[in-house]
Amino acid sequence: AAAFSQTFLDMPRPSRPLKVAVIGAGLAGLSCAKYLSDAGHNPVVLEARDVLGGKVAAWQDKDGDWIETGLHIFFGAYPNVNQMFTELGIRDRLQWKSHSMIFAMPGQQTADGFQRFSRFDFPDLLPAPLNGLVAILLNNEMLTFPEKIQFGIGLIPAILFGQKYVEECDSLTVTEWMKKQGVPDRVNDEVFIAMAKALNFIDPDNLSMTVVLTALNRFLQETHGSKMAFLDGPPPTRLCQPMADHMIARGGELRMNQRISSILLNNDKTVRGLKMQDGSMVEADAYVSTMPVDVLKLMLPEEWRSIPYFEKLSGLTGVPVINIHLWFDRKLTTVDHLLFSRSPLLSVYADMSLTCKGYRDDDKSMLELVFAPAKDWIGRSDEDIIDATMGELYRLFPNELARDGSGAKLLKYAVVKTPLSVYEATAGREMYRPVQTTPILNFYLAGCFTKQKYLASMEGATFSGKLAARALADAAIAGTIPLKEKESSAVAA
Ligand code: FAD
C-alpha cells in the first residue's frame, strides 16, 4: 500500500492538472480526491449532505453525544486504510485492542452471575497462521476438537487452490459450502451466523462463501490481520476531515450540501456536466462517482443503461442495517473490545465508553450495537426496535440489567437506520461488481461495491478510491481524457 501511494507522488506532474468532480465525500470519494491531489490534479468533492463520511458519518445530539451511522472496526488487514492514517500523520488515533475475538455466550453466566464470554486469543509471539491455529485450538467452549478438525479439512481446497478457489466459491452460500464440505451444522450455528452478520449484516444461508474465505484468508495469512482497532472519536472529524484537509492544501476543493440530481451527456455519451439539485451545473474534465450503488442506478442516464458495464449494476442492491446507541446510568461491562453478541437480532456490539477515548465515561456505559439482519425491522418504529434490543440484552446481561428494575437503567437511545447500506453479498454477486474504469472516457467509479479484493468495507472503499485515482491519473498521462476547453475547464457552480 505504501508503494502504491508513492506512485502518485512519483508520477510526472501533469502539464495541465485535471479538474475532477468527485461525487460523494465518503471514504471512497475522499480517498480518490486525496490521491488525485497527490498526483497533481485538482479534485472538487461534491457531497450531498452537511456531514462528511457517508456510511461512517456521525453527528451530535442535543446533549453533545455523538450518534454514528455504524459501529466501525478497523483491522490489521486493512493496508490502505492503515497507510492513509500514516500518510495523514494520525496513526495515534487508531486504538488497537488485544489480539482477540470475543464471543458472548447468551444465557451463560459466570459464578457471580455476570455475562460469560468465550475468547479466541491470538498469541503475540507467533506468526500467522500459527497464531490463528493456536487461538482456534485453545478455545474449547464453542467448538469441539472433532468439529474444528472437520472444519479444517473443509478448508483444505482453499489452502491448496488459493484465490481461484475463493472466487469459485461465490456460487455457494456459507451454509451450502459447509454442507458440501461435510462441516457439522454446529460450526455454522456457533461461529458463522455471528461472522456472516458481522461481515455483511445477513445470515450464512444467504452470504456468499467468497466473503468468508476472503476474510479468513487475510486473518490467517497476516500475523496482525484480525487485530482490531477503534477510532478514538467520530470518523468525520477524526478521519474524514484530515483527508479533506490534505487534498484542499494541494489545490482541491470540498463543497458540502451539493447533491447532484442528474448526469448530463454530450452526443458521444461522455459526461458534459452534473446538474445539481439547486439547478446549477458543475463541469469538469473528468468525473468520479462514489455514490452508493442504489443511488447510482437511479442516476444512470438513459443512454448508458443498455451498456453491459452499467446493465450489470442491476445485480447489486444495498442491504438494510440498523445501528443502535444505548446510554445506561452505570457500567455494564469491563470488556474493552468488540463483542460478537451471537443473539438472533443483534450482530456485534461494544461499550464505546470503554473502547473509544473520545466517548470515554468512567461511570456510565454507552453500548453501540449493530442490529442485523434488519430486513424485517427497518420499517418498524424506533420504540419497537429498542424493545426488541432490550429483550436480547436481558439475555446478554442478566445480572447487570435485572428485569425487576434493580439493575442498570436506560437513560436514552438513538436508532440510525440505513435501509440500503453496503451491497448485499449474497452468493453470485461478484460478477456484477464493476471495475473503476468505465466505458465512458471521462467517467470513473469508486465505492466499496466496486471491484477490489477487500469486500464492502472501509478498506474496500478507500482502496477503490485509490484505484480510481490511479486509473484517472494514468489516463491523464496517456491523454485519453477529452479535456474541456481551457475557459470552461474550471469547475463552475
Ligand atoms: P458511502 O460512505 O456511502 O459514501 C457515498 C457518499 O456519496 C455519501 O457521503 C453520500 O452522502 C454521497 N452521495 C450520495 N448521493 C449523492 C448525490 N446525489 N450527490 C452528491 N453526493 C451524494 N466497514 C468496515 O470496514 N468495518 C466495520 O466495522 C464496518 N461497520 C459498518 C457498520 C454499519 C452499520 C455500516 C452501515 C457500514 C459498516 N461498514 C464497515 C462499511 C463501511 O462503512 C462502508 O463500506 C464504507 O464506509 C463505504 O464507503 P463509500 O465511500 O464506498 O460509500
Side-chain angles (χ1 to χ4, degrees), residues 23-29 46-49 53-56 69-73 75 78 201 258-260 290-292 295 299 321 323 370 418 421-422 447-449 456-459 461:
I23 310 166
L27 291 177
L46 306 164
E47 169 54 47
R49 298 166 74 190
K55 289 190 246 305
V56 302
T69 309
L71 168 60
H72 277 90
I73 302 300
F75 285 94
Y78 280 5
F201 317 131
Q258 293 286 308
R259 185 178 295 275
I260 77 151
T290 75
M291 294 182 288
V295 183
M299 202 77 76
V321 66
N323 200 50
V370 179
T418 307
S421 72
V422 297
C448 64
F449 67 95
S457 65
M458 293 186 286
E459 172 68 13

mmCIF file of all heavy atoms in Angstrom, residues 23-29 46-49 53-56 69-73 75 78 201 258-260 290-292 295 299 321 323 370 418 421-422 447-449 456-459 461, ligand 1:
data_model
loop_
_atom_site.group_PDB
_atom_site.id
_atom_site.type_symbol
_atom_site.label_atom_id
_atom_site.label_comp_id
_atom_site.label_asym_id
_atom_site.label_seq_id
_atom_site.Cartn_x
_atom_site.Cartn_y
_atom_site.Cartn_z
ATOM 1 N N ILE A 23 -17.931 12.803 -6.884
ATOM 2 C CA ILE A 23 -19.271 12.855 -6.291
ATOM 3 C C ILE A 23 -19.291 11.998 -5.024
ATOM 4 O O ILE A 23 -19.141 10.782 -5.091
ATOM 5 C CB ILE A 23 -20.342 12.333 -7.271
ATOM 6 C CG1 ILE A 23 -20.189 13.013 -8.637
ATOM 7 C CG2 ILE A 23 -21.737 12.566 -6.707
ATOM 8 C CD1 ILE A 23 -20.976 12.331 -9.745
ATOM 9 N N GLY A 24 -19.464 12.637 -3.866
ATOM 10 C CA GLY A 24 -19.563 11.921 -2.595
ATOM 11 C C GLY A 24 -18.320 12.079 -1.743
ATOM 12 O O GLY A 24 -17.199 11.922 -2.228
ATOM 13 N N ALA A 25 -18.518 12.420 -0.478
ATOM 14 C CA ALA A 25 -17.398 12.567 0.465
ATOM 15 C C ALA A 25 -17.450 11.474 1.525
ATOM 16 O O ALA A 25 -17.315 11.723 2.725
ATOM 17 C CB ALA A 25 -17.403 13.946 1.103
ATOM 18 N N GLY A 26 -17.682 10.237 1.069
ATOM 19 C CA GLY A 26 -17.473 9.079 1.934
ATOM 20 C C GLY A 26 -15.993 8.722 1.835
ATOM 21 O O GLY A 26 -15.198 9.484 1.271
ATOM 22 N N LEU A 27 -15.607 7.564 2.337
ATOM 23 C CA LEU A 27 -14.183 7.201 2.317
ATOM 24 C C LEU A 27 -13.672 7.020 0.892
ATOM 25 O O LEU A 27 -12.528 7.389 0.595
ATOM 26 C CB LEU A 27 -13.944 5.939 3.153
ATOM 27 C CG LEU A 27 -14.133 6.143 4.659
ATOM 28 C CD1 LEU A 27 -13.945 4.824 5.405
ATOM 29 C CD2 LEU A 27 -13.167 7.195 5.209
ATOM 30 N N ALA A 28 -14.501 6.489 -0.011
ATOM 31 C CA ALA A 28 -14.047 6.297 -1.394
ATOM 32 C C ALA A 28 -13.790 7.650 -2.050
ATOM 33 O O ALA A 28 -12.763 7.857 -2.698
ATOM 34 C CB ALA A 28 -15.081 5.497 -2.184
ATOM 35 N N GLY A 29 -14.708 8.589 -1.890
ATOM 36 C CA GLY A 29 -14.573 9.902 -2.522
ATOM 37 C C GLY A 29 -13.386 10.669 -1.958
ATOM 38 O O GLY A 29 -12.598 11.264 -2.703
ATOM 39 N N LEU A 46 -17.994 16.871 -4.261
ATOM 40 C CA LEU A 46 -19.374 17.355 -4.120
ATOM 41 C C LEU A 46 -20.121 16.392 -3.202
ATOM 42 O O LEU A 46 -20.340 15.236 -3.568
ATOM 43 C CB LEU A 46 -20.047 17.387 -5.495
ATOM 44 C CG LEU A 46 -19.287 18.177 -6.570
ATOM 45 C CD1 LEU A 46 -19.798 17.822 -7.958
ATOM 46 C CD2 LEU A 46 -19.408 19.675 -6.315
ATOM 47 N N GLU A 47 -20.485 16.853 -2.019
ATOM 48 C CA GLU A 47 -21.160 15.978 -1.062
ATOM 49 C C GLU A 47 -22.586 16.475 -0.833
ATOM 50 O O GLU A 47 -22.805 17.639 -0.532
ATOM 51 C CB GLU A 47 -20.373 15.925 0.257
ATOM 52 C CG GLU A 47 -21.096 15.274 1.421
ATOM 53 C CD GLU A 47 -21.640 13.866 1.147
ATOM 54 O OE1 GLU A 47 -20.900 13.034 0.600
ATOM 55 O OE2 GLU A 47 -22.830 13.611 1.467
ATOM 56 N N ALA A 48 -23.527 15.535 -0.952
ATOM 57 C CA ALA A 48 -24.942 15.899 -0.834
ATOM 58 C C ALA A 48 -25.309 16.373 0.571
ATOM 59 O O ALA A 48 -26.140 17.272 0.737
ATOM 60 C CB ALA A 48 -25.797 14.687 -1.201
ATOM 61 N N ARG A 49 -24.663 15.795 1.573
ATOM 62 C CA ARG A 49 -25.098 16.076 2.955
ATOM 63 C C ARG A 49 -24.252 17.184 3.582
ATOM 64 O O ARG A 49 -23.293 17.661 2.976
ATOM 65 C CB ARG A 49 -25.016 14.793 3.784
ATOM 66 C CG ARG A 49 -25.932 13.709 3.246
ATOM 67 C CD ARG A 49 -25.595 12.363 3.835
ATOM 68 N NE ARG A 49 -26.012 12.237 5.223
ATOM 69 C CZ ARG A 49 -25.659 11.220 6.010
ATOM 70 N NH1 ARG A 49 -24.866 10.266 5.565
ATOM 71 N NH2 ARG A 49 -26.078 11.156 7.250
ATOM 72 N N GLY A 53 -18.361 11.685 5.323
ATOM 73 C CA GLY A 53 -18.234 10.294 5.781
ATOM 74 C C GLY A 53 -19.188 9.288 5.179
ATOM 75 O O GLY A 53 -18.917 8.094 5.208
ATOM 76 N N GLY A 54 -20.356 9.719 4.664
ATOM 77 C CA GLY A 54 -21.296 8.734 4.109
ATOM 78 C C GLY A 54 -21.656 7.696 5.169
ATOM 79 O O GLY A 54 -22.213 8.029 6.215
ATOM 80 N N LYS A 55 -21.271 6.442 4.935
ATOM 81 C CA LYS A 55 -21.637 5.385 5.883
ATOM 82 C C LYS A 55 -20.804 5.433 7.179
ATOM 83 O O LYS A 55 -21.088 4.695 8.112
ATOM 84 C CB LYS A 55 -21.542 4.018 5.210
ATOM 85 C CG LYS A 55 -22.662 3.835 4.195
ATOM 86 C CD LYS A 55 -22.753 2.431 3.698
ATOM 87 C CE LYS A 55 -22.423 2.245 2.251
ATOM 88 N NZ LYS A 55 -23.175 3.059 1.305
ATOM 89 N N VAL A 56 -19.772 6.275 7.221
ATOM 90 C CA VAL A 56 -19.091 6.467 8.519
ATOM 91 C C VAL A 56 -19.456 7.833 9.116
ATOM 92 O O VAL A 56 -18.821 8.288 10.069
ATOM 93 C CB VAL A 56 -17.544 6.292 8.446
ATOM 94 C CG1 VAL A 56 -17.162 4.922 7.931
ATOM 95 C CG2 VAL A 56 -16.886 7.377 7.598
ATOM 96 N N THR A 69 -23.396 6.431 12.191
ATOM 97 C CA THR A 69 -24.151 5.617 11.224
ATOM 98 C C THR A 69 -23.896 4.135 11.474
ATOM 99 O O THR A 69 -24.770 3.302 11.262
ATOM 100 C CB THR A 69 -23.727 5.969 9.783
ATOM 101 O OG1 THR A 69 -23.808 7.389 9.640
ATOM 102 C CG2 THR A 69 -24.604 5.304 8.755
ATOM 103 N N GLY A 70 -22.669 3.838 11.918
ATOM 104 C CA GLY A 70 -22.353 2.431 12.171
ATOM 105 C C GLY A 70 -21.218 2.289 13.167
ATOM 106 O O GLY A 70 -20.365 3.170 13.272
ATOM 107 N N LEU A 71 -21.257 1.190 13.898
ATOM 108 C CA LEU A 71 -20.127 0.834 14.767
ATOM 109 C C LEU A 71 -19.008 0.367 13.847
ATOM 110 O O LEU A 71 -19.192 -0.599 13.099
ATOM 111 C CB LEU A 71 -20.580 -0.303 15.688
ATOM 112 C CG LEU A 71 -19.517 -1.037 16.498
ATOM 113 C CD1 LEU A 71 -18.786 -0.082 17.427
ATOM 114 C CD2 LEU A 71 -20.169 -2.152 17.305
ATOM 115 N N HIS A 72 -17.882 1.049 13.842
ATOM 116 C CA HIS A 72 -16.838 0.745 12.860
ATOM 117 C C HIS A 72 -15.557 0.207 13.479
ATOM 118 O O HIS A 72 -15.021 0.803 14.411
ATOM 119 C CB HIS A 72 -16.544 1.980 12.017
ATOM 120 C CG HIS A 72 -17.511 2.134 10.889
ATOM 121 N ND1 HIS A 72 -18.682 2.826 11.000
ATOM 122 C CD2 HIS A 72 -17.484 1.630 9.619
ATOM 123 C CE1 HIS A 72 -19.342 2.748 9.855
ATOM 124 N NE2 HIS A 72 -18.643 2.034 8.996
ATOM 125 N N ILE A 73 -15.088 -0.900 12.925
ATOM 126 C CA ILE A 73 -13.872 -1.558 13.385
ATOM 127 C C ILE A 73 -12.843 -1.544 12.270
ATOM 128 O O ILE A 73 -13.164 -1.844 11.121
ATOM 129 C CB ILE A 73 -14.175 -3.045 13.739
ATOM 130 C CG1 ILE A 73 -15.260 -3.133 14.801
ATOM 131 C CG2 ILE A 73 -12.920 -3.784 14.208
ATOM 132 C CD1 ILE A 73 -14.911 -2.461 16.093
ATOM 133 N N PHE A 75 -9.215 -3.131 10.900
ATOM 134 C CA PHE A 75 -8.447 -4.369 11.080
ATOM 135 C C PHE A 75 -6.987 -4.172 10.684
ATOM 136 O O PHE A 75 -6.674 -3.316 9.843
ATOM 137 C CB PHE A 75 -9.054 -5.492 10.230
ATOM 138 C CG PHE A 75 -10.323 -6.045 10.808
ATOM 139 C CD1 PHE A 75 -11.552 -5.553 10.415
ATOM 140 C CD2 PHE A 75 -10.284 -7.032 11.783
ATOM 141 C CE1 PHE A 75 -12.725 -6.035 10.964
ATOM 142 C CE2 PHE A 75 -11.456 -7.536 12.338
ATOM 143 C CZ PHE A 75 -12.677 -7.028 11.924
ATOM 144 N N TYR A 78 -6.061 -4.152 6.908
ATOM 145 C CA TYR A 78 -6.533 -3.042 6.068
ATOM 146 C C TYR A 78 -5.321 -2.214 5.638
ATOM 147 O O TYR A 78 -5.087 -1.113 6.149
ATOM 148 C CB TYR A 78 -7.490 -2.143 6.864
ATOM 149 C CG TYR A 78 -8.921 -2.628 7.009
ATOM 150 C CD1 TYR A 78 -9.327 -3.869 6.542
ATOM 151 C CD2 TYR A 78 -9.882 -1.819 7.615
ATOM 152 C CE1 TYR A 78 -10.645 -4.292 6.687
ATOM 153 C CE2 TYR A 78 -11.198 -2.233 7.755
ATOM 154 C CZ TYR A 78 -11.571 -3.470 7.297
ATOM 155 O OH TYR A 78 -12.872 -3.881 7.437
ATOM 156 N N PHE A 201 -24.067 -8.194 7.426
ATOM 157 C CA PHE A 201 -25.390 -7.952 8.029
ATOM 158 C C PHE A 201 -26.453 -8.946 7.552
ATOM 159 O O PHE A 201 -27.644 -8.639 7.595
ATOM 160 C CB PHE A 201 -25.886 -6.515 7.752
ATOM 161 C CG PHE A 201 -24.822 -5.458 7.909
ATOM 162 C CD1 PHE A 201 -24.618 -4.492 6.929
ATOM 163 C CD2 PHE A 201 -24.030 -5.420 9.038
ATOM 164 C CE1 PHE A 201 -23.640 -3.526 7.073
ATOM 165 C CE2 PHE A 201 -23.042 -4.447 9.196
ATOM 166 C CZ PHE A 201 -22.854 -3.502 8.201
ATOM 167 N N GLN A 258 -24.129 19.683 -1.594
ATOM 168 C CA GLN A 258 -24.169 19.730 -3.060
ATOM 169 C C GLN A 258 -24.631 18.384 -3.581
ATOM 170 O O GLN A 258 -23.821 17.488 -3.798
ATOM 171 C CB GLN A 258 -22.766 20.034 -3.613
ATOM 172 C CG GLN A 258 -22.251 21.414 -3.289
ATOM 173 C CD GLN A 258 -22.959 22.463 -4.120
ATOM 174 O OE1 GLN A 258 -23.023 22.361 -5.329
ATOM 175 N NE2 GLN A 258 -23.518 23.468 -3.463
ATOM 176 N N ARG A 259 -25.936 18.243 -3.746
ATOM 177 C CA ARG A 259 -26.487 16.960 -4.211
ATOM 178 C C ARG A 259 -26.643 16.994 -5.724
ATOM 179 O O ARG A 259 -27.290 17.899 -6.258
ATOM 180 C CB ARG A 259 -27.854 16.707 -3.562
ATOM 181 C CG ARG A 259 -28.460 15.344 -3.884
ATOM 182 C CD ARG A 259 -29.787 15.160 -3.161
ATOM 183 N NE ARG A 259 -29.604 15.127 -1.713
ATOM 184 C CZ ARG A 259 -29.291 14.032 -1.020
ATOM 185 N NH1 ARG A 259 -29.140 12.884 -1.643
ATOM 186 N NH2 ARG A 259 -29.141 14.096 0.286
ATOM 187 N N ILE A 260 -26.047 16.038 -6.412
ATOM 188 C CA ILE A 260 -26.251 16.040 -7.857
ATOM 189 C C ILE A 260 -27.594 15.376 -8.160
ATOM 190 O O ILE A 260 -27.989 14.413 -7.475
ATOM 191 C CB ILE A 260 -25.090 15.390 -8.649
ATOM 192 C CG1 ILE A 260 -25.132 13.878 -8.584
ATOM 193 C CG2 ILE A 260 -23.714 15.884 -8.219
ATOM 194 C CD1 ILE A 260 -24.529 13.269 -9.824
ATOM 195 N N THR A 290 -18.812 8.230 -6.517
ATOM 196 C CA THR A 290 -18.620 7.301 -5.393
ATOM 197 C C THR A 290 -19.962 7.133 -4.670
ATOM 198 O O THR A 290 -19.996 6.730 -3.518
ATOM 199 C CB THR A 290 -17.527 7.791 -4.413
ATOM 200 O OG1 THR A 290 -18.045 8.879 -3.631
ATOM 201 C CG2 THR A 290 -16.279 8.229 -5.138
ATOM 202 N N MET A 291 -21.037 7.477 -5.363
ATOM 203 C CA MET A 291 -22.364 7.314 -4.755
ATOM 204 C C MET A 291 -22.629 5.820 -4.518
ATOM 205 O O MET A 291 -22.148 4.984 -5.286
ATOM 206 C CB MET A 291 -23.439 7.874 -5.694
ATOM 207 C CG MET A 291 -23.351 9.370 -5.894
ATOM 208 S SD MET A 291 -24.674 10.003 -6.959
ATOM 209 C CE MET A 291 -24.196 9.415 -8.573
ATOM 210 N N PRO A 292 -23.405 5.489 -3.497
ATOM 211 C CA PRO A 292 -23.751 4.076 -3.291
ATOM 212 C C PRO A 292 -24.436 3.516 -4.535
ATOM 213 O O PRO A 292 -25.072 4.270 -5.281
ATOM 214 C CB PRO A 292 -24.732 4.127 -2.113
ATOM 215 C CG PRO A 292 -24.474 5.430 -1.439
ATOM 216 C CD PRO A 292 -24.016 6.379 -2.504
ATOM 217 N N VAL A 295 -28.071 4.497 -5.426
ATOM 218 C CA VAL A 295 -28.267 5.874 -5.900
ATOM 219 C C VAL A 295 -27.769 5.971 -7.338
ATOM 220 O O VAL A 295 -28.419 6.555 -8.202
ATOM 221 C CB VAL A 295 -27.503 6.876 -4.992
ATOM 222 C CG1 VAL A 295 -27.769 8.311 -5.449
ATOM 223 C CG2 VAL A 295 -27.864 6.693 -3.534
ATOM 224 N N MET A 299 -29.492 7.199 -10.992
ATOM 225 C CA MET A 299 -28.917 8.384 -11.622
ATOM 226 C C MET A 299 -28.395 8.101 -13.035
ATOM 227 O O MET A 299 -28.038 9.023 -13.761
ATOM 228 C CB MET A 299 -27.754 8.843 -10.728
ATOM 229 C CG MET A 299 -27.356 10.272 -10.869
ATOM 230 S SD MET A 299 -28.491 11.361 -10.049
ATOM 231 C CE MET A 299 -28.045 11.131 -8.342
ATOM 232 N N VAL A 321 -29.537 -2.165 7.400
ATOM 233 C CA VAL A 321 -28.885 -2.391 8.697
ATOM 234 C C VAL A 321 -29.292 -1.265 9.638
ATOM 235 O O VAL A 321 -29.636 -0.163 9.188
ATOM 236 C CB VAL A 321 -27.342 -2.507 8.547
ATOM 237 C CG1 VAL A 321 -26.697 -1.205 8.101
ATOM 238 C CG2 VAL A 321 -26.694 -2.982 9.839
ATOM 239 N N ASN A 323 -28.142 0.777 13.301
ATOM 240 C CA ASN A 323 -27.122 0.987 14.333
ATOM 241 C C ASN A 323 -27.805 1.599 15.554
ATOM 242 O O ASN A 323 -28.540 2.578 15.428
ATOM 243 C CB ASN A 323 -26.037 1.929 13.795
ATOM 244 C CG ASN A 323 -24.751 1.812 14.571
ATOM 245 O OD1 ASN A 323 -24.250 0.714 14.782
ATOM 246 N ND2 ASN A 323 -24.210 2.928 15.030
ATOM 247 N N VAL A 370 -24.948 -3.274 16.472
ATOM 248 C CA VAL A 370 -25.429 -3.415 15.100
ATOM 249 C C VAL A 370 -26.577 -4.430 15.113
ATOM 250 O O VAL A 370 -26.405 -5.552 15.595
ATOM 251 C CB VAL A 370 -24.298 -3.874 14.154
ATOM 252 C CG1 VAL A 370 -24.824 -4.046 12.737
ATOM 253 C CG2 VAL A 370 -23.144 -2.865 14.179
ATOM 254 N N THR A 418 -30.196 2.451 8.144
ATOM 255 C CA THR A 418 -29.671 2.615 6.781
ATOM 256 C C THR A 418 -30.359 1.547 5.921
ATOM 257 O O THR A 418 -29.936 0.381 5.903
ATOM 258 C CB THR A 418 -28.133 2.456 6.748
ATOM 259 O OG1 THR A 418 -27.564 3.348 7.715
ATOM 260 C CG2 THR A 418 -27.567 2.787 5.370
ATOM 261 N N SER A 421 -27.571 -0.139 2.684
ATOM 262 C CA SER A 421 -26.192 0.184 3.080
ATOM 263 C C SER A 421 -25.232 -0.429 2.058
ATOM 264 O O SER A 421 -25.395 -0.238 0.862
ATOM 265 C CB SER A 421 -25.909 -0.296 4.511
ATOM 266 O OG SER A 421 -25.815 -1.703 4.569
ATOM 267 N N VAL A 422 -24.233 -1.161 2.489
ATOM 268 C CA VAL A 422 -23.283 -1.783 1.562
ATOM 269 C C VAL A 422 -24.023 -2.816 0.695
ATOM 270 O O VAL A 422 -25.094 -3.285 1.081
ATOM 271 C CB VAL A 422 -22.136 -2.486 2.329
ATOM 272 C CG1 VAL A 422 -21.335 -1.469 3.110
ATOM 273 C CG2 VAL A 422 -22.663 -3.578 3.234
ATOM 274 N N GLY A 447 -16.111 3.303 -4.767
ATOM 275 C CA GLY A 447 -17.129 2.935 -3.776
ATOM 276 C C GLY A 447 -16.875 1.497 -3.397
ATOM 277 O O GLY A 447 -16.313 0.722 -4.190
ATOM 278 N N CYS A 448 -17.296 1.138 -2.185
ATOM 279 C CA CYS A 448 -16.927 -0.194 -1.702
ATOM 280 C C CYS A 448 -17.582 -1.312 -2.510
ATOM 281 O O CYS A 448 -17.143 -2.451 -2.446
ATOM 282 C CB CYS A 448 -17.202 -0.330 -0.205
ATOM 283 S SG CYS A 448 -18.932 -0.199 0.233
ATOM 284 N N PHE A 449 -18.615 -0.989 -3.307
ATOM 285 C CA PHE A 449 -19.248 -2.038 -4.133
ATOM 286 C C PHE A 449 -18.440 -2.320 -5.385
ATOM 287 O O PHE A 449 -18.644 -3.337 -6.039
ATOM 288 C CB PHE A 449 -20.684 -1.631 -4.524
ATOM 289 C CG PHE A 449 -20.728 -0.446 -5.447
ATOM 290 C CD1 PHE A 449 -20.801 -0.617 -6.819
ATOM 291 C CD2 PHE A 449 -20.666 0.834 -4.944
ATOM 292 C CE1 PHE A 449 -20.819 0.465 -7.676
ATOM 293 C CE2 PHE A 449 -20.678 1.934 -5.791
ATOM 294 C CZ PHE A 449 -20.745 1.759 -7.148
ATOM 295 N N ALA A 456 -16.952 -5.190 0.956
ATOM 296 C CA ALA A 456 -17.644 -3.915 1.183
ATOM 297 C C ALA A 456 -17.262 -3.409 2.565
ATOM 298 O O ALA A 456 -17.931 -3.700 3.557
ATOM 299 C CB ALA A 456 -19.141 -4.134 1.079
ATOM 300 N N SER A 457 -16.177 -2.664 2.636
ATOM 301 C CA SER A 457 -15.638 -2.258 3.937
ATOM 302 C C SER A 457 -14.969 -0.902 3.804
ATOM 303 O O SER A 457 -14.861 -0.360 2.702
ATOM 304 C CB SER A 457 -14.575 -3.273 4.373
ATOM 305 O OG SER A 457 -13.482 -3.218 3.451
ATOM 306 N N MET A 458 -14.485 -0.384 4.919
ATOM 307 C CA MET A 458 -13.752 0.887 4.861
ATOM 308 C C MET A 458 -12.488 0.718 4.023
ATOM 309 O O MET A 458 -12.104 1.613 3.278
ATOM 310 C CB MET A 458 -13.393 1.340 6.278
ATOM 311 C CG MET A 458 -14.612 1.713 7.097
ATOM 312 S SD MET A 458 -14.154 2.401 8.681
ATOM 313 C CE MET A 458 -13.606 0.958 9.559
ATOM 314 N N GLU A 459 -11.839 -0.446 4.155
ATOM 315 C CA GLU A 459 -10.651 -0.707 3.343
ATOM 316 C C GLU A 459 -11.035 -0.775 1.864
ATOM 317 O O GLU A 459 -10.355 -0.207 1.011
ATOM 318 C CB GLU A 459 -9.995 -2.024 3.787
ATOM 319 C CG GLU A 459 -8.858 -2.514 2.900
ATOM 320 C CD GLU A 459 -7.597 -1.650 2.925
ATOM 321 O OE1 GLU A 459 -7.482 -0.784 3.823
ATOM 322 O OE2 GLU A 459 -6.748 -1.839 2.039
ATOM 323 N N ALA A 461 -13.576 0.621 0.360
ATOM 324 C CA ALA A 461 -13.925 1.963 -0.120
ATOM 325 C C ALA A 461 -12.660 2.782 -0.370
ATOM 326 O O ALA A 461 -12.488 3.397 -1.429
ATOM 327 C CB ALA A 461 -14.818 2.668 0.898
HETATM 328 P P1 FAD B 1 -20.504 5.927 1.242
HETATM 329 O O1 FAD B 1 -19.912 6.013 2.581
HETATM 330 O O2 FAD B 1 -21.939 5.530 1.137
HETATM 331 O O3 FAD B 1 -20.285 7.349 0.513
HETATM 332 C C1 FAD B 1 -21.073 7.799 -0.542
HETATM 333 C C2 FAD B 1 -21.234 9.310 -0.408
HETATM 334 O O4 FAD B 1 -21.953 9.795 -1.551
HETATM 335 C C3 FAD B 1 -22.046 9.728 0.819
HETATM 336 O O5 FAD B 1 -21.354 10.685 1.560
HETATM 337 C C4 FAD B 1 -23.336 10.272 0.226
HETATM 338 O O6 FAD B 1 -23.917 11.298 1.000
HETATM 339 C C5 FAD B 1 -22.838 10.799 -1.117
HETATM 340 N N1 FAD B 1 -23.913 10.942 -2.110
HETATM 341 C C6 FAD B 1 -24.924 10.079 -2.364
HETATM 342 N N2 FAD B 1 -25.721 10.568 -3.324
HETATM 343 C C7 FAD B 1 -25.199 11.758 -3.704
HETATM 344 C C8 FAD B 1 -25.580 12.755 -4.656
HETATM 345 N N3 FAD B 1 -26.669 12.618 -5.408
HETATM 346 N N4 FAD B 1 -24.822 13.874 -4.782
HETATM 347 C C9 FAD B 1 -23.697 14.042 -4.023
HETATM 348 N N5 FAD B 1 -23.297 13.124 -3.090
HETATM 349 C C10 FAD B 1 -24.037 12.002 -2.947
HETATM 350 N N6 FAD B 1 -16.705 -1.327 7.328
HETATM 351 C C11 FAD B 1 -15.610 -1.765 7.978
HETATM 352 O O7 FAD B 1 -14.532 -1.824 7.383
HETATM 353 N N7 FAD B 1 -15.660 -2.114 9.299
HETATM 354 C C12 FAD B 1 -16.815 -2.036 10.026
HETATM 355 O O8 FAD B 1 -16.835 -2.340 11.220
HETATM 356 C C13 FAD B 1 -17.989 -1.585 9.366
HETATM 357 N N8 FAD B 1 -19.159 -1.484 10.041
HETATM 358 C C14 FAD B 1 -20.246 -0.944 9.423
HETATM 359 C C15 FAD B 1 -21.428 -0.774 10.150
HETATM 360 C C16 FAD B 1 -22.542 -0.194 9.555
HETATM 361 C C17 FAD B 1 -23.814 -0.067 10.339
HETATM 362 C C18 FAD B 1 -22.470 0.239 8.198
HETATM 363 C C19 FAD B 1 -23.649 0.896 7.535
HETATM 364 C C20 FAD B 1 -21.305 0.055 7.463
HETATM 365 C C21 FAD B 1 -20.189 -0.546 8.057
HETATM 366 N N9 FAD B 1 -19.002 -0.747 7.348
HETATM 367 C C22 FAD B 1 -17.888 -1.220 7.988
HETATM 368 C C23 FAD B 1 -18.926 -0.496 5.888
HETATM 369 C C24 FAD B 1 -18.301 0.850 5.565
HETATM 370 O O9 FAD B 1 -18.906 1.866 6.328
HETATM 371 C C25 FAD B 1 -18.518 1.154 4.086
HETATM 372 O O10 FAD B 1 -18.043 0.069 3.317
HETATM 373 C C26 FAD B 1 -17.792 2.407 3.606
HETATM 374 O O11 FAD B 1 -17.873 3.457 4.543
HETATM 375 C C27 FAD B 1 -18.425 2.847 2.277
HETATM 376 O O12 FAD B 1 -17.781 3.994 1.784
HETATM 377 P P2 FAD B 1 -18.122 4.546 0.341
HETATM 378 O O13 FAD B 1 -17.337 5.793 0.183
HETATM 379 O O14 FAD B 1 -17.983 3.475 -0.663
HETATM 380 O O15 FAD B 1 -19.705 4.891 0.350
#
